Amino acid sequence: MTRADLDKDPHDVASMFDAVARRYDLTNDLMSGFQDRIWRVATRTAVGAKPGDRVLDLAAGTGTSTEEWADAGIDVVACDFSIGMLAVGKRRRPDMTFIAGDAMNLPFADDTFDAVTISYGLRNLHDTSAGLREMYRVTKPGGRIVVCEFSTPPAPALRAAYRLFLRTALKGIAALASSNAPAYSYLVDSILHWPRQRELAALMHEAGWRGIKWRNLSAGIVAIHRAHKIVPSLT
């Protein structure tokens, strides 16, 4: 399964994630060497949410990242287009808010959230720019976005080794751990074809975001991009 296959019908992406929902968190732990837990902490720190803030956690999946904000007293909404993922999360945390939604057509009013964050989900959108514009729309003026996504290691030797790992070892790990290993062929393909750090920053700027900065994690295997929504001038 490749990105081109799924682009023919974006709804197939939701079906793919429904299929892997049952063992999704375990598979992510194994495939990342448990570094995904470190990346979640870095993302949460970058968002900098505090009690009283309202946060939208997009591509929240089973709500693993969302519950860390909820436990800290943050008003957080977990949103994902995979009903299967949300169902797994709701069974585990019935106290949290889970909402099914398409990131390119969010079911929220303008200027609703103090912060919007999306981890490992932006590259799954059929139209990345449309998703970034929707996130801008639902964020309050002065609010912020944090994108945590797989990226490209700047060092050539590491970049080559990482691409080899994606094409070989990662698929093997998925075959052992995942409830639907063939679906991870798509995930590998989406990582390999994802824009580099500076290219993603340019897409965010085109969508209206300003003050864009990024930070590489794990030598650039993952990157966190941060930006804010401009406050309209009173003059």
Side-chain angles (χ1 to χ4, degrees), residues 116-197:
V116 176
T117 182
I118 182 168
S119 296
Y120 322 113
L122 191 60
R123 74 183 191 284
N124 295 322
L125 302 188
H126 183 62
D127 187 336
T128 302
S129 295
L132 289 169
R133 289 193 298 269
E134 268 294 273
M135 293 175 216
Y136 189 87
R137 179 184 66 79
V138 302
T139 301
K140 297 177 182 178
R144 56 210 180 273
I145 183 175
V146 174
V147 177
C148 182
E149 189 54 87
F150 290 105
S151 197
T152 303
L158 179 58
R159 184 164 61 246
Y162 177 55
R163 288 178 178 272
L164 179 62
F165 169 78
L166 286 174
R167 293 188 176 103
T168 56
L170 193 63
K171 291 184 179 180
I173 294 171
L176 292 173
S178 173
S179 54
N180 186 2
Y184 281 85
S185 295
Y186 158 76
L187 298 181
V188 169
D189 186 65
S190 69
I191 293 170
L192 289 171
H193 293 89
W194 182 244
R196 297 188 180 189
Q197 290 88 328

Side-chain angles (χ1 to χ4, degrees), residues 13-177:
V13 181
S15 298
M16 179 192 73
F17 280 101
D18 287 346
V20 301
R22 184 172 58 87
R23 301 181 67 181
Y24 183 72
D25 294 319
L26 171 62
T27 304
N28 283 348
D29 279 343
L30 295 176
M31 289 170 62
S32 69
F34 293 90
Q35 289 190 84
D36 60 319
R37 302 184 181 199
I38 298 172
W39 300 335
R40 281 203 305 273
V41 172
T43 301
R44 195 166 66 250
T45 300
V47 172
K50 53 188 180 298
D53 284 348
R54 193 166 194 215
V55 175
L56 174 61
D57 188 12
L58 272 177
T62 61
T64 301
S65 57
T66 316
E67 64 184 338
E68 293 167 346
W69 275 298
D71 290 342
I74 308 299
D75 180 9
V76 61
V77 175
C79 183
D80 201 283
F81 66 168
S82 167
I83 301 299
M85 288 282 193
L86 295 173
V88 171
K90 192 65 176 178
R91 284 196 296 271
R92 187 180 72 244
R93 289 296 301 263
D95 58 308
M96 294 191 336
T97 301
F98 291 86
I99 294 179
D102 181 352
M104 295 181 293
N105 186 22
L106 291 169
F108 306 107
D110 296 356
D111 307 335
T112 298
F113 297 96
D114 297 286
V116 176
T117 182
I118 182 168
S119 296
Y120 322 113
L122 191 60
R123 74 183 191 284
N124 295 322
L125 302 188
H126 183 62
D127 187 336
T128 302
S129 295
L132 289 169
R133 289 193 298 269
E134 268 294 273
M135 293 175 216
Y136 189 87
R137 179 184 66 79
V138 302
T139 301
K140 297 177 182 178
R144 56 210 180 273
I145 183 175
V146 174
V147 177
C148 182
E149 189 54 87
F150 290 105
S151 197
T152 303
L158 179 58
R159 184 164 61 246
Y162 177 55
R163 288 178 178 272
L164 179 62
F165 169 78
L166 286 174
R167 293 188 176 103
T168 56
L170 193 63
K171 291 184 179 180
I173 294 171
L176 292 173

